[in-house]
Amino acid sequence: IMAIDKIQSESINLADNFAFTGTVTGTPTGLNHFQVFNKTSDQSVSADTNTTITWTGASTHQPAVGSALASVSSGIFSFSQTGIYMVNANITVQMNANDGHSRKAILSFKKTVNNSTYTTEADAETSIPNTDGGELNKGNLTGQFLIDITDTTNDKFLLQWFLQSNACTIKTNSSTNDRTIVQIARISDT
């Protein structure tokens, strides 16, 4: 029988290297889940209308980590595992008319806890100026928020785009780089 030594935490120098032959529990393991969703087609947005942004699949330019815990359908994201998730969104738009502009453009993060009623949890706002160059003006908004998924049946989120004046198009990704994306990382248990 092998004796078990009990070591006081004050006597361990954590700067030293240790070679373990058994299982060590309770240590951080790093990021276990990361997904990136993108657009593969442009999406038209009318002026003065909240429009749910639709997504078509995984990015081919950014890596995924772990299994797919998030899925999207008709712009609504759902989860197969509870936890706290970090959501990062980058939305690129182009005005539909030359010299088109808008005093207000808003990217809203909306969550439901009953699979029905969505409330705004966070938003990002900017304006798209008229650069007066006879070109299609472009704009970009990014935003981040944490979402606590405690019920995989009812807890969901979506992203909406609002433009105060003039119509625009949410731009698709190109064949060589990402442009409009949502990154989702599971960062801890709920």
Side-chain angles (χ1 to χ4, degrees):
I1 297 179
M2 180 186 249
I4 298 176
D5 291 330
K6 188 171 186 177
I7 300 173
Q8 298 297 323
S9 61
E10 304 86 47
S11 65
I12 296 176
N13 182 351
L14 295 179
D16 289 342
N17 293 323
F18 299 93
F20 296 98
T21 57
T23 302
V24 178
T25 61
T27 57
T29 58
L31 183 64
N32 292 319
H33 167 77
F34 181 78
Q35 284 175 267
V36 182
F37 294 85
N38 67 6
K39 293 187 74 58
T40 56
S41 61
D42 290 348
Q43 181 178 355
S44 295
V45 176
S46 299
D48 204 24
T49 304
N50 284 310
T51 301
T52 298
I53 302 171
T54 56
W55 304 92
T56 47
S59 168
T60 58
H61 305 295
Q62 297 185 49
V65 175
S67 59
L69 301 180
S71 60
V72 64
S73 176
S74 300
I76 298 172
F77 289 88
S78 56
F79 298 84
S80 62
Q81 183 177 344
T82 61
I84 296 176
Y85 292 81
M86 170 64 79
V87 178
N88 299 313
N90 185 73
I91 312 299
T92 300
V93 299
Q94 177 176 288
M95 301 305 290
N96 289 353
N98 283 352
D99 297 327
H101 61 284
S102 181
R103 287 189 316 119
K104 187 182 292 186
I106 301 173
L107 171 63
S108 298
F109 300 90
K110 298 189 174 194
K111 179 185 176 186
T112 180
V113 294
N114 62 10
N115 195 22
S116 177
T117 305
Y118 286 83
T119 58
T120 300
E121 298 288 315
D123 64 28
E125 185 174 332
T126 192
S127 60
I128 300 174
N130 182 353
T131 57
D132 216 14
E135 299 176 355
L136 297 174
N137 296 316
K138 294 179 177 60
N140 181 270
L141 263 175
T142 61
Q144 302 80 33
F145 77 107
L146 292 175
I147 186 168
D148 188 2
I149 301 297
T150 60
D151 179 342
T152 58
T153 301
N154 293 307
D155 293 353
K156 300 176 182 187
F157 82 91
L158 57 81
L159 301 169
Q160 284 189 337
W161 183 264
F162 173 83
L163 200 62
Q164 185 178 34
S165 54
N166 296 310
C168 73
T169 299
I170 299 173
K171 298 303 289 177
T172 184
N173 293 342
S174 76
S175 61
T176 59
N177 62 282
D178 284 335
R179 183 176 293 128
T180 298
I181 60 167
V182 173
Q183 298 172 323
I184 300 175
R186 186 179 186 277
I187 58 173
S188 75
D189 293 332
T190 185

